[in-house]
Amino acid sequence: MGAGVCINFVSPQPGVRVLAYDLATGLPTLAFLAFLAWGLKPSLRKLQRSRSHIMATYYGFLWGITGLNFFRCILQMVQTGSNHATSWNVLWLLTRFGMIALEASVVVYLLQGYVSSGRQALLNTLVVSGSAALLETLVKVLYIFALHVPLFLYDPTGDMRWSKWSFWLLHGLAAMLCYTALLVLPFTQWRDLLPAKASFYKYAVCMLMLYTTVTVGSILVGSKLMAGYCVFGVASWLYYASYPVLVYVTFLAEFFADEQLDIDLLYYSEMREAGCFDDAYDDSFG
């Protein structure tokens, strides 16, 4: 992979058509949007019957960040002038905010275990993950608009500087520490905090590998090695093109495919509409 192509996968340049990046990221994103749209009606019906607030929240998150990601790719294909850096940065920040909030919410929600009720756990999750994503976004805004360090876009005057790549290095190291801790947790006295599901630990392994690649790429680029752009570019493409899919497969696919849950919910709904629970309610409060 040529250095120029790798740079476009890491830091697109305003004024330069980055068709390869936009297609490589936009086409998988469009395919996932089409998949979500194809299953929209049965998914909404399942969510309505189950009344699962956390699943509805994750499902909404996926629609939001996937739509933003696709719109960002389209905008970069349409806007080719060099005076569009601000709009590009804003869309990158919004997309990244949604993805970080979703990523943090997965960890925060599962770490609560059985301590909180469903709604309380969801509220705690949204507050903590939203605060974490907002804090990181504010730091990025400071970097981009106050310190003039283009975290998302290529700087032709000197892109391989530590003022930029130290941010991604620290971000990668922090994420590596988090996912390593999650993988070690089952071997400690706090092992009951996390669900005993192999899919969750596969998810954690995938994210650990992704952020390890981010960290290595950041070190290489900061050390002025062009190969680092290709390493970081692979991780960047995987994150934006496949992270929503990974979340869906890990946490939502089984929920939407569970036919027995559909039958149970339909049976409960029909029994409730027939008034079969009225007597039990009266006995409890009469």
Side-chain angles (χ1 to χ4, degrees):
M1 187 182 293
V5 176
C6 292
I7 290 173
N8 287 335
F9 268 75
V10 174
S11 303
Q13 306 174 58
V16 178
R17 187 176 293 275
V18 286
L19 188 61
Y21 170 84
D22 294 324
L23 289 178
T25 305
L27 288 178
T29 303
L30 178 60
F32 187 57
L33 275 175
F35 171 78
L36 290 176
W38 177 71
L40 179 61
K41 286 186 177 180
S43 297
L44 291 178
R45 187 163 53 247
K46 173 70 74 68
L47 291 170
Q48 185 178 19
R49 289 175 177 173
S50 68
R51 299 182 181 180
S52 174
H53 301 291
I54 189 64
M55 291 300 179
T57 301
Y58 283 160
Y59 189 66
F61 260 128
L62 288 181
W63 269 103
I65 63 176
T66 306
L68 273 174
N69 201 19
F70 182 68
F71 181 68
R72 177 176 59 83
C73 292
I74 294 297
L75 191 71
Q76 290 179 176
M77 293 175 67
V78 174
Q79 293 183 343
T80 57
S82 58
N83 59 336
H84 297 297
T86 300
S87 60
W88 285 26
N89 275 316
V90 169
L91 274 177
W92 276 93
L93 287 168
L94 289 174
T95 304
R96 189 78 182 189
F97 171 84
M99 297 185 77
I100 293 298
L102 176 60
E103 189 179 340
S105 70
V106 168
V107 176
V108 173
Y109 181 77
L110 293 176
L111 282 177
Q112 293 179 80
Y114 303 102
V115 175
S116 302
S117 64
R119 290 190 177 183
Q120 185 60 44
L122 176 59
L123 180 61
N124 294 341
T125 298
L126 292 178
V127 170
V128 175
S129 60
S131 299
L134 180 61
L135 177 61
E136 190 193 62
T137 301
L138 290 176
V139 172
K140 289 173 183 170
V141 168
L142 178 64
Y143 264 78
I144 295 170
F145 297 109
L147 302 178
H148 304 290
V149 177
L151 294 177
F152 299 113
L153 306 181
Y154 181 76
D155 183 4
T157 63
D159 192 69
M160 305 172 79
R161 47 176 165 156
W162 278 113
S163 58
K164 173 178 180 176
W165 294 101
S166 60
F167 173 87
W168 295 116
L169 173 60
L170 292 174
H171 179 82
L173 287 173
M176 286 177 61
L177 180 62
C178 173
Y179 287 109
T180 299
L182 292 179
L183 291 172
V184 171
L185 204 60
F187 304 99
T188 68
Q189 59 181 327
W190 299 287
R191 57 183 174 274
D192 294 333
L193 283 175
L194 294 177
K197 292 187 65 175
S199 59
F200 172 74
Y201 296 100
K202 291 178 182 178
Y203 165 86
V205 168
C206 289
M207 297 306 295
L208 177 59
M209 293 173 62
L210 176 76
Y211 281 111
T212 301
T213 308
V214 167
T215 302
V216 172
S218 301
I219 293 173
L220 292 175
V221 179
S223 302
K224 303 189 184 308
L225 296 174
M226 293 296 293
Y229 281 112
C230 295
V231 176
F232 194 95
V234 169
S236 179
W237 175 76
L238 286 172
Y239 187 69
Y240 288 104
S242 63
Y243 180 68
V245 179
L246 178 63
V247 171
Y248 183 91
V249 171
T250 305
F251 302 103
L252 292 174
E254 183 179 352
F255 172 79
F256 286 129
D258 191 346
E259 295 182 0
Q260 185 58 45
L261 178 61
D262 269 343
I263 295 173
D264 293 343
L265 291 172
L266 180 60
Y267 176 75
Y268 177 81
S269 177
E270 291 175 347
M271 293 286 286
R272 184 179 57 193
E273 290 175 1
C276 295
F277 301 111
D278 293 345
D279 293 339
Y281 180 86
D282 293 338
D283 291 341
S284 298
F285 296 94

